Amino acid sequence: MRNPLRMACLVLIAAGCCAVYLIHDLNGSFDYALPRRGIKVLAMVLTGFTIAYATVIFQTITHNRILTPSIMGLDALYLLLQTVIIFFLGSSHLVVTNKQINFLLSVAVMIVFALFLYRFLFKKGGQSIYFLLLIGIIVGTFFSSISTFLQVLIDPNEFLIVQDRMFASFNNINSDLVWMAIVIVLLVLIYAWRYIKYLDVLSLGRETAINLGVPYDSIVKQMLVIVAIFISISTALVGPITFFGLIVANLSYQFFHTYKHKTLISGAVLMSIIALVGGQWFVERVFTFSTTLSVIINFIGGVYFIYLLLKERKTA
């Protein structure tokens, strides 16, 4: 009964964070402020859900709790795409000014890239997942290098627009993008639900899963595509958050101490909602927008990442 009680506590804390963010210091401006805060809360919940879900699945597939889907180079590809668009088309182009077009283009390019990468690597079969990760690191570094090169050459005024895309931001989120992203996530989630029953077995390893009758290679390919779609949506919606998935996924492992992925994913999602909504409230009310939430998350995530590395080293 410990895990259900802990889950209930997380649900109450997450609901409390959302309620406080929505109604704190409204001063009677319900018609104006409440809908705008509601959209921001929806965006944070959606972002937290997609990142947490994708990270837990990705770490189960790779059997490594210090890896995140950003290692596949999707974050670097997003920044490269935004830099290339502004460098060649200019900041006044329709692709830049129209957020719906920019969002759909970003999601489509990242998904196509992930599908191409997976199909190329798994074409002949037998490729190790670690070879896929190695290729992802190399490609991500390559994308980052091109982005840096173009950012040096770009006009300083337009570089400010590129710089805004480098960090995740929940301010001035377009409501149309949120509803569009929700529809896409729900469709993917309906498709992905059929595979969640295999995750507990996949965590036992490739040989054990195959011996238990699980079509390991096929399931891994499907789950990698789902991870790519979720990370693409969250990145295109608010921007890259490198270490966020690492934090919430590992906190969920330590908090619940179970192998059941329904519990782990639910716990990671609730923790991500608490972190994003509560963190954004602190950024707005305590720090008065003197910093961004992504900077705080990346700082804490970097420290936590070093802690996990030292912990794994002692264990080994």
Side-chain angles (χ1 to χ4, degrees):
M1 292 298 293
R2 294 177 61 186
N3 284 342
L5 181 61
R6 292 180 177 181
M7 189 69 70
C9 291
L10 287 179
V11 171
L12 292 176
I13 296 172
C17 289
C18 294
V20 169
Y21 186 86
L22 287 172
I23 65 177
H24 179 260
D25 199 23
L26 275 178
N27 297 325
S29 58
F30 291 94
D31 294 337
Y32 176 78
L34 197 59
R36 286 160 177 77
R37 293 187 182 184
I39 288 297
K40 291 176 70 173
V41 170
L42 276 177
M44 288 184 278
V45 170
L46 183 65
T47 302
F49 174 84
T50 52
I51 292 178
Y53 193 103
T55 303
V56 173
I57 291 177
F58 189 78
Q59 292 181 349
T60 298
I61 293 173
T62 58
H63 306 290
N64 194 316
R65 293 186 176 183
I66 62 175
L67 293 179
T68 61
S70 61
I71 200 173
M72 298 306 302
L74 293 178
D75 291 353
L77 177 60
Y78 171 77
L79 292 178
L80 174 62
L81 177 63
Q82 300 302 318
T83 304
V84 168
I85 290 174
I86 295 176
F87 183 84
F88 288 103
L89 301 180
S91 58
S92 59
H93 196 271
L94 181 65
V95 178
V96 180
T97 57
N98 191 306
K99 293 185 177 181
Q100 288 89 346
I101 295 177
N102 189 280
F103 173 77
L104 292 175
L105 178 63
S106 300
V107 171
V109 169
M110 287 187 283
I111 292 176
V112 168
F113 163 74
L115 293 176
F116 175 78
L117 185 63
Y118 300 156
R119 181 169 294 275
F120 173 75
L121 292 177
F122 289 113
K123 184 176 182 180
K124 297 180 179 179
Q127 293 287 8
S128 171
I129 188 68
Y130 296 106
F131 182 71
L132 176 64
L133 297 178
L134 177 61
I135 296 298
I137 295 173
I138 295 172
V139 172
T141 304
F142 176 68
F143 288 160
S144 298
S145 300
I146 298 178
S147 300
T148 304
F149 175 73
L150 293 178
Q151 289 163 14
V152 172
L153 301 177
I154 203 170
D155 181 83
N157 294 323
E158 295 190 335
F159 173 72
L160 294 177
I161 300 176
V162 177
Q163 194 175 36
D164 290 338
R165 309 290 172 91
M166 294 181 182
F167 305 98
S169 175
F170 296 96
N171 300 318
N172 301 321
I173 295 177
N174 191 311
S175 60
D176 294 336
L177 296 185
V178 176
W179 295 118
M180 191 184 304
I182 289 175
V183 172
I184 298 174
V185 168
L186 287 177
L187 293 176
V188 176
L189 190 60
I190 293 172
Y191 175 78
W193 189 253
R194 70 182 74 178
Y195 297 109
I196 198 162
K197 60 185 178 181
Y198 296 111
L199 293 176
D200 296 341
V201 182
L202 292 180
S203 62
L204 299 175
R206 185 176 188 275
E207 290 76 15
T208 304
I210 293 175
N211 290 334
L212 292 175
V214 174
Y216 182 85
D217 293 333
S218 175
I219 297 298
V220 166
K221 294 177 185 177
Q222 299 294 330
M223 300 310 291
L224 285 174
V225 172
I226 293 168
V227 167
I229 294 173
F230 277 172
I231 294 300
S232 300
I233 290 173
S234 64
T235 304
L237 184 63
V238 300
I241 311 179
T242 305
F243 290 106
F244 184 66
L246 174 75
I247 299 174
V248 295
N250 281 276
L251 287 178
S252 181
Y253 300 145
Q254 296 178 10
F255 193 65
F256 289 104
H257 299 288
T258 182
Y259 66 91
K260 296 181 179 180
H261 280 74
K262 289 183 179 180
T263 301
L264 293 174
I265 293 174
S266 300
V269 169
L270 290 171
M271 289 179 181
S272 65
I273 295 173
I274 294 171
L276 290 179
V277 179
Q280 186 65 22
W281 184 86
F282 269 96
V283 168
E284 295 181 6
R285 303 297 172 180
V286 179
F287 297 107
T288 61
F289 293 100
S290 59
T291 185
T292 60
L293 180 59
S294 61
V295 172
I296 298 174
I297 289 175
N298 287 334
F299 172 74
I300 297 175
V303 174
Y304 190 55
F305 179 71
I306 295 173
Y307 163 75
L308 291 175
L309 288 177
L310 294 176
K311 181 182 177 182
E312 291 295 327
R313 180 182 178 184
K314 291 181 180 180
T315 303

